[in-house]
Amino acid sequence: MPKGALHMLAAVLWLSQTADSLAVSVKPQAVQDLQYGEVLFHFYQQDYFNAITRLMVAQEQDRLPHHRDEAELLLGGMQLSYGLLDEARDRFSRLLDEDSDARVRNRAWYYLARLAYQRGEQHTALDAIARVKKPGDRTVAAETALLDANIHMQLGQNAEAASLLEKARAPKEMQEYLQINRGIALLRAGKLKEGRRILDKVGRTHTENEELLALRDRANLGLGYELIRAGDAAAARQYLNRVRVQSPFVHAALLGAGWADAETGDYRKALGPWLSLLRLGDYEPAVQEAHLAVPYAFSRLGDVRRATYYYERAIDYFDDESRQLQQAIDAVRGDVLLRMLGQVDTTISGGWLNDNAVLKEIPAGRYLVEVLAGDAFQETLKDYRDLGYLQNLLQQSRSNIELYHDMVDTRRQAYEQRAPGIRKRLQENRVGALEQRWRRYQSLVEKQRAHGDPLALANGKELKELERLDSIDARLAKAPHDARLDRLRERARWLRGILYWQVQDDFKARLWNTEKQLRETRTLLDRAGERRRRLTQALESARTGFDGYDERIETVRKRIDSLIPRIAAARSAASENIRRLALKELELRKQRLASYRSQARYALARSYDQLSQQHGEKP
Amino acid sequence: MNSLIRVLVIAFSFLPVLVLAETDGAPRGANEEVQKLKKEALELNRDLFLLEEELLFPSNTQISVFVSMDVGKFFQLDSVKLKIDGKEVADYLYTRRELDALARGGVQRLYIGNVRTGEHELVAFFIGKGPHGRDYKRGATTTVKKGLGPKYVELKIVDHTSDFQPEFEVREW
C-alpha cells in the first residue's frame, strides 16, 4: 500500500508547492512599472484571468519597459496556472530561442520541465530540468531541486530523488518541504530507517504554519502505514498518533492506529481508535472499514456476542450507506448535480475552493460533495468554473456593446455640432496673421542690428515724450525769437538730447531683449502652428476614427457572439464529464460497500454458528 | 498479520490511487478546446479593455490612482478614501487577500477617471489600525498637474522606522 499512498503523498506535496513557488520567484523584485505591480496584485490573489489580461494590455501599451523579461516569464507561469499549457509551452520555448539572458533561459527550462511533469511526460521533464544551470538564488535552487526530485520519483528513481534533495540549497522557510520530500523519497527507495529518521526530525520542529502542519500529518500517516507494512507496528503507532485530531487525515490515522495495535496482537487496544471511528459516524472509507474491523477485533478477543452485535450493526450501516449512495447515483442521473454545479460562484475569477460551503448546503449531496472534492474532479471542476466565469463576463460584455456604440455616437454628435465652428476659426487663420506680424518685427530688428536707429526701440512712454517734443518744436518754430522763447527752444533741445541719450545708452540691452522676446514668441507661434496642424488633422481624421471605433466594436461583438455558444457547449461537456466521473466513482463506492457487506454477512454467519455452538441453539 | 487485516490494509491503501487514476479518463480533446476558448477569451478581454479605456478614459483626460505598500508593519490598512478636487471618487474596503497581495508587492489601481488638463488637488485618507492596534486615520494631500498624456499617481504606505509610524507618500509617474 504505502507505496501507492506515498505516491499520492509526493504528488500532493508537490501540488501544494506549485502555486507558491511561482509566487516566491517573483516576490523579491521591486516594482519599477506601476502596471507590472497591478499585474502582481491580481496574480497574488490567484486571479489569473485578470492578471493575464492586464499583463497583455500593459504589453500592448508598452508600459513594462523595466520588466520585459520578467513579464514574459510571469505570463508563461500564469498561463500554466490557468490551464493554458500549450500557450505556456510555446512562450517558454520562444524565450529559449530568443536572445534572452541566462536567468530567463534557466527559468524557461524550469517551467518547461514543470509543464511536462504536469502532463505526465516525465522523460521530457527530466531532459528539460537537466538543462537548468545551477541557480544562484536559493529559492529558485530549492524549487528546481523539488521539481527534479518529483520527476525522478515519478520515474521510480527514488534514491536519486533523495540524493538531489539532500544536496539542494534552500532558504529556511523551504527547508522543511525539501526534507519531507526527501524522507518520502527514501521511504519509497526502501531506505526505511533513514527516511524515518528524517521525517521524525521534521516532525519535532515547532511550526504554526498550517500548510506545513498538514504536510506533516500526511508524512506521519504515510510513514505509519509504511511501518505497518514493514512489520514495525509499535513504531507505526507512534507516528500515527502524531496526526492531529483536527487533521483531515485523522480517520485514516485512527484506522491505521487500530491496525498497528492489531498487528501486535493487542485487539483490545485496537478497539480504542476503531470505536472512535464508529462514533464519528461518518461515511469516510476509513469509517466504513472500521465497521468491519470492530467486530473482527471482538471475535479475536473471543467476545462473540459483541462481534455479532457489531456485524449486524455493520450490515445495517452498509445497507443504509448503500441506499444513500443509490440516492446520490439517482440524483446524478437526474439534474441534482447540475443544480449543484449551478451554485458555483462564477462572478469572480479564481478561488474555486471557497465555494465548498455553498456546495454543502445541498441536501442528500454529502457523497457528491465528497466525490467532487476528490483530486480526480478538480481539473474538470476548475474548467467548469472558469468557463462559467467566462460565460458571465462575455454576457456582460455583450450587453455593453450597445453602450460603446452610444458613446461613439455621442462623440460623433458632439463633433458634428462643434466641428463647423472650429473649422471656421481655423479658416480665420489667426496664427497666420500673427506669423506675418512676427516676420515684420523680425525684419525690423534685423535692420536695427545692421544700422540701428536707437529711437526705433523706444518704449511707449518715450515715444509719447518724443511726440510731445516734436509738437513743442513745431510750435516754437512758428514763434518769433526772443530771449524767453529761445530759452524754451534750448530746453526742448536739451530734453530731446537727454531722451535720445537714454534710448541710445540702453540700445544694446533693448535690442537683446527684443530679440529674446522674438525668440520666445517664435516658440509660442511654433506651438500654436503645431496645434493648428494637429487640430486640422484631428478634425479631418475624426470622422474616420468614429468609423474605426464602429468597426472595432462590431468585430468585438462578432467575437463575443461566436464565443458564447462555444463556451456554453464546452461547459456543458465539462458538466457531462463531471457527471460521468461522479457516476463511475459512486458506482465504485457502491461495489466496495457491497463487498464489505458480503464480508460482514459471511463473518456474521460464522458468529451465529459460534453462538449456537456455545448455547446449543440456532439464531 | 491476519489475512483479513491484510486485505483491509491493501483495500484501503490503494483507494486514493484509484481515485487519482480517474483523472486520466477525461477526454483529451475537451481540454484542448477549453484551452483554446480560454485563450480566445483572454485576447478578446484584452481588446475590450483597450477599447473601453480609449472610449471611457482617453489619454488626454485620463488619471489613474494606485495604492501600494512596502512592509505595512506599523499600519494595518482597512480602507482608502480618495477625493479629487473636493469630490469623493473612491472609497475602497480591502479584503484579506487583497491586503496580502499588496504586502507582497502588488499595486492596486484604486481609481481611473477623467480630469481636464491643469492642476488638481488630490486628497487620500488611509483608515486602519496604527501602532499598538489603535484606530488610525491619516490624510495625504497633493496637487498633481495633468498634461496631455495619461496621469499616474501612486499612493504608497511606507513604514517609517525612526518613529515607528506609517508614512504616506505620493508619487507621480
Side-chain angles (χ1 to χ4, degrees):
Chain A
M1 130 327 155
K3 202 176 173 188
L6 288 169
H7 171 91
M8 180 194 74
L9 174 54
V12 172
L13 283 174
W14 170 246
L15 286 174
S16 64
Q17 255 309 99
T18 46
D20 261 354
S21 54
L22 176 61
V24 169
S25 308
V26 293
K27 187 182 173 185
Q29 299 167 24
V31 169
Q32 287 176 280
D33 298 316
L34 272 179
Q35 279 80 354
Y36 189 68
E38 199 186 359
V39 171
L40 292 182
F41 182 67
H42 292 279
F43 164 69
Y44 287 140
Q45 295 178 67
Q46 294 177 24
D47 177 4
Y48 299 120
F49 183 83
N50 283 308
I52 294 172
T53 300
R54 277 164 208 271
L55 203 153
M56 287 162 76
V57 168
Q59 283 183 329
E60 186 76 23
Q61 295 175 329
D62 199 18
R63 299 239 178 250
L64 306 173
H66 300 97
H67 297 281
R68 270 185 228 286
D69 285 345
E70 294 99 315
E72 279 296 298
L73 276 176
L74 180 61
L75 182 53
M78 289 193 298
Q79 285 172 332
L80 194 59
S81 299
Y82 191 55
L84 296 171
L85 303 192
D86 296 339
E87 279 285 297
R89 189 189 50 211
D90 292 350
R91 184 161 307 278
F92 292 131
S93 302
R94 272 205 303 277
L95 280 171
L96 290 174
D97 293 339
E98 286 165 9
D99 188 21
S100 47
D101 67 33
R103 196 185 63 84
V104 172
R105 292 174 67 82
N106 245 12
R107 290 310 275 170
W109 278 121
Y110 166 81
Y111 283 121
L112 281 169
R114 200 171 114 180
L115 243 156
Y117 173 80
Q118 260 177 251
R119 286 175 181 265
E121 298 161 1
Q122 305 307 344
H123 288 286
T124 312
L126 201 62
D127 180 54
I129 201 86
R131 290 166 191 265
V132 177
K133 302 243 166 46
K134 207 175 177 182
D137 182 280
R138 292 176 90 88
T139 304
V140 178
E143 285 173 3
T144 309
L146 268 173
L147 178 57
D148 205 352
N150 276 287
I151 296 166
H152 277 91
M153 278 198 261
Q154 285 291 317
L155 290 167
Q157 299 164 2
N158 298 305
E160 289 87 340
S163 163
L164 277 166
L165 292 167
E166 188 183 6
K167 289 177 203 155
R169 294 176 312 126
K172 203 178 163 199
E173 67 274 13
M174 287 182 76
Q175 274 167 6
E176 191 161 336
Y177 289 101
L178 263 71
Q179 289 306 311
I180 290 178
N181 274 279
R182 187 175 154 221
I184 289 159
L186 286 165
L187 291 183
R188 292 180 67 182
K191 296 179 180 173
L192 198 61
K193 202 174 160 190
E194 212 181 330
R196 185 178 153 188
R197 186 180 59 77
I198 287 165
L199 291 176
D200 192 41
K201 194 178 165 194
V202 167
R204 285 173 193 277
T205 52
H206 175 74
T207 183
E208 287 179 3
N209 180 327
E210 189 52 42
E211 195 182 356
L212 274 179
L213 287 170
L215 285 179
R216 283 185 191 179
D217 287 337
R218 272 188 180 263
N220 282 322
L221 184 70
L223 186 56
Y225 277 89
E226 186 68 43
L227 286 165
I228 294 174
R229 198 176 69 103
D232 192 350
R237 186 66 148 101
Q238 181 194 338
Y239 292 104
L240 292 166
N241 285 350
R242 285 187 188 169
V243 177
R244 295 167 305 148
V245 178
Q246 66 270 36
S247 161
F249 314 112
V250 68
H251 297 91
L254 284 169
L255 188 69
W259 285 337
D261 295 335
E263 177 77 352
T264 57
D266 193 344
Y267 289 98
R268 192 163 301 284
K269 198 176 168 196
L271 279 168
W274 284 344
L275 283 167
S276 298
L277 270 174
L278 294 198
R279 278 194 293 275
L280 286 174
D282 220 326
Y283 47 92
E284 290 250 341
V287 178
Q288 292 174 354
E289 294 199 13
H291 273 92
L292 280 182
V294 167
Y296 172 77
F298 278 118
S299 76
R300 294 288 298 182
L301 289 167
D303 191 341
V304 186
R305 280 194 179 281
R306 281 203 175 85
T308 307
Y309 166 75
Y310 277 105
Y311 276 129
E312 284 171 344
R313 198 177 139 179
I315 289 167
D316 289 346
Y317 168 81
F318 292 137
D319 285 344
D320 192 41
E321 288 298 300
S322 255
R323 266 195 303 277
Q324 293 199 37
L325 258 176
Q326 189 54 49
Q327 278 175 10
I329 289 168
D330 293 342
V332 171
R333 289 202 177 111
D335 68 343
V336 166
L337 186 66
L338 281 180
R339 279 199 284 126
M340 194 165 157
L341 290 172
Q343 288 192 13
V344 172
D345 181 9
T346 51
T347 54
I348 53 160
S349 154
W352 154 259
L353 292 174
N354 301 333
D355 296 333
N356 282 351
V358 181
L359 294 177
K360 279 179 183 164
E361 285 172 15
I362 296 273
R366 61 182 186 133
Y367 266 108
L368 290 180
V369 170
E370 195 203 306
V371 163
L372 291 178
D375 292 332
F377 292 86
Q378 289 310 300
E379 278 309 303
T380 318
L381 273 174
K382 201 166 164 289
D383 277 349
Y384 180 81
R385 186 189 185 287
D386 286 344
L387 290 167
Y389 173 76
L390 294 182
Q391 251 180 333
N392 263 344
L393 184 84
L394 292 182
Q395 296 288 4
Q396 201 185 325
S397 303
R398 182 69 180 79
S399 64
N400 284 343
I401 289 290
E402 289 314 310
L403 191 71
Y404 297 148
H405 275 308
D406 286 348
M407 283 171 69
V408 177
D409 284 345
T410 309
R411 282 198 194 182
R412 190 182 273 119
Q413 276 174 14
Y415 166 81
E416 301 293 355
Q417 278 171 7
R418 291 181 199 168
I422 297 169
R423 203 168 275 128
K424 194 180 163 198
R425 282 174 68 187
L426 283 173
Q427 278 164 0
E428 285 169 6
N429 198 5
R430 289 187 199 171
V431 178
L434 284 171
E435 179 75 32
Q436 280 179 6
R437 281 178 68 190
W438 186 88
R439 286 190 194 287
R440 266 207 314 276
Y441 283 116
Q442 168 73 0
S443 140
L444 189 71
V445 169
E446 276 169 10
K447 272 185 203 158
Q448 289 303 318
R449 179 164 283 285
H451 32 77
D453 168 14
L455 288 180
L457 296 181
N459 62 28
K461 189 184 163 202
E462 289 160 348
L463 284 172
K464 269 190 181 165
E465 283 170 355
L466 264 176
E467 273 175 28
R468 281 176 69 190
L469 282 171
D470 286 345
S471 150
I472 289 167
D473 281 351
R475 282 160 63 191
L476 284 172
K478 290 175 191 167
H481 284 274
D482 64 27
R484 191 181 64 84
L485 288 173
D486 284 347
R487 274 202 305 279
L488 276 177
R489 283 189 187 96
E490 189 56 35
R491 189 168 172 76
R493 198 162 47 249
W494 180 77
L495 281 172
R496 185 181 288 278
I498 292 280
L499 190 62
Y500 191 82
W501 181 82
Q502 268 180 1
V503 175
Q504 193 182 35
D505 186 52
D506 212 17
F507 178 71
K508 280 191 177 167
R510 288 179 189 225
L511 187 62
W512 183 87
N513 199 27
T514 311
E515 283 177 335
K516 186 177 165 240
Q517 284 180 15
L518 269 173
R519 277 196 304 275
E520 285 170 1
T521 318
R522 181 70 259 163
T523 312
L524 291 173
L525 267 174
D526 286 345
R527 273 190 212 156
E530 174 59 20
R531 280 198 193 128
R532 185 175 192 279
R533 192 186 59 73
R534 277 175 26 202
L535 191 58
T536 312
Q537 205 175 36
L539 208 61
E540 294 315 312
S541 62
R543 201 183 293 275
T544 333
F546 294 135
D547 295 343
Y549 274 129
D550 284 336
E551 276 170 32
R552 276 172 72 185
I553 295 167
E554 274 311 291
T555 310
V556 161
R557 187 184 61 76
K558 280 179 192 156
R559 284 163 70 188
I560 295 174
D561 286 348
S562 131
L563 267 175
I564 286 175
R566 285 168 58 205
I567 287 175
R571 197 165 188 234
S572 163
S575 73
E576 189 47 45
N577 194 26
I578 293 168
R579 183 147 81 158
R580 189 179 57 78
L581 285 174
L583 276 175
K584 205 169 170 184
E585 171 64 18
L586 290 169
E587 291 287 357
L588 197 75
R589 288 180 181 219
K590 204 179 155 197
Q591 282 167 25
R592 198 171 62 230
L593 273 178
S595 160
Y596 289 160
R597 192 188 184 281
S598 85
Q599 285 178 50
R601 188 78 221 157
Y602 175 72
L604 180 65
R606 273 197 319 191
S607 296
Y608 284 152
D609 284 348
Q610 284 172 346
L611 272 178
S612 64
Q613 278 168 14
Q614 281 175 11
H615 300 287
E617 56 178 78
K618 286 199 181 254
Chain B
M1 192 195 299
N2 185 284
S3 60
L4 176 59
I5 295 289
R6 192 173 292 279
V7 168
L8 290 176
V9 170
I10 292 167
F12 179 75
S13 312
F14 280 100
L15 176 65
V17 185
L18 288 173
V19 175
L20 266 183
E22 292 293 330
T23 318
D24 301 332
R28 175 98 187 110
N31 182 265
E32 278 169 7
E33 173 65 2
V34 173
Q35 280 197 56
K36 209 173 155 192
L37 289 169
K38 283 182 175 179
K39 179 178 179 279
E40 284 182 46
L42 275 165
E43 285 166 355
L44 175 68
N45 202 42
R46 173 200 58 197
D47 294 344
L48 271 166
F49 204 95
L50 287 165
L51 179 70
E52 221 171 67
E53 196 170 301
E54 280 177 48
L55 284 173
L56 293 173
F57 314 106
S59 62
N60 56 346
T61 55
Q62 187 192 117
I63 183 167
S64 291
V65 181
F66 295 84
V67 173
S68 70
M69 198 191 272
D70 68 346
V71 185
K73 218 167 153 187
F74 305 135
F75 181 65
Q76 195 192 323
L77 182 66
D78 283 336
S79 66
V80 175
K81 266 187 191 174
L82 178 70
K83 284 183 177 181
I84 294 180
D85 298 329
K87 188 183 166 196
E88 187 173 304
V89 292
D91 184 357
Y92 197 88
L93 191 64
Y94 290 87
T95 64
R96 190 182 286 271
R97 279 166 79 90
E98 287 168 335
L99 289 174
D100 180 54
L102 284 175
R104 292 167 77 178
V107 180
Q108 180 219 7
R109 195 190 289 244
L110 174 70
Y111 172 72
I112 180 167
N114 295 302
V115 290
R116 284 177 184 277
T117 313
E119 291 193 341
H120 298 274
E121 191 195 50
L122 201 144
V123 185
F125 294 101
F126 300 88
I127 300 146
K129 293 268 183 276
H132 313 298
R134 282 198 292 260
D135 287 347
Y136 199 93
K137 182 178 177 178
R138 275 278 294 275
T141 306
T142 190
T143 301
V144 295
K145 197 171 175 188
K146 172 77 180 84
L148 281 177
K151 183 82 194 169
Y152 299 124
V153 183
E154 181 186 8
L155 308 173
K156 190 168 188 168
I157 304 165
V158 288
D159 283 342
H160 207 244
T161 41
S162 62
D163 58 358
F164 302 103
Q165 291 287 324
E167 284 287 320
F168 304 96
E169 291 176 0
V170 182
R171 182 180 168 192
E172 291 182 50
W173 288 68

